[in-house]
Amino acid sequence: MQAGRELDKQVAEALGRRVDEHMDIYVNGEVWEKIPQFSTTGDGMLKLIE
């Protein structure tokens, strides 16, 4: 499970988001949000398609 969250952080960074190293959050514009589970959920994968 931890490896999936690390992958999610890398995806968020590749999308140009600033990621907090210690928490599962990133900056989306001016707002801190929880990093989507790009690698493990359908909703997260759909965000990559958008």
Side-chain angles (χ1 to χ4, degrees):
M1 185 64 137
Q2 182 64 23
R5 294 307 289 156
E6 289 300 317
L7 177 60
D8 294 336
K9 286 183 180 183
Q10 292 174 6
V11 170
E13 288 176 337
L15 293 172
R17 305 293 196 257
R18 189 174 54 145
V19 175
D20 184 285
E21 294 178 27
H22 306 288
M23 299 173 63
D24 287 342
I25 58 175
Y26 72 107
V27 176
N28 186 8
E30 302 265 332
V31 179
W32 285 95
E33 296 181 355
K34 184 176 179 184
I35 296 174
Q37 295 180 343
F38 298 114
S39 63
T40 58
T41 66
D43 288 338
M45 290 177 197
L46 287 174
K47 288 182 186 269
L48 293 175
I49 295 169
E50 295 175 350

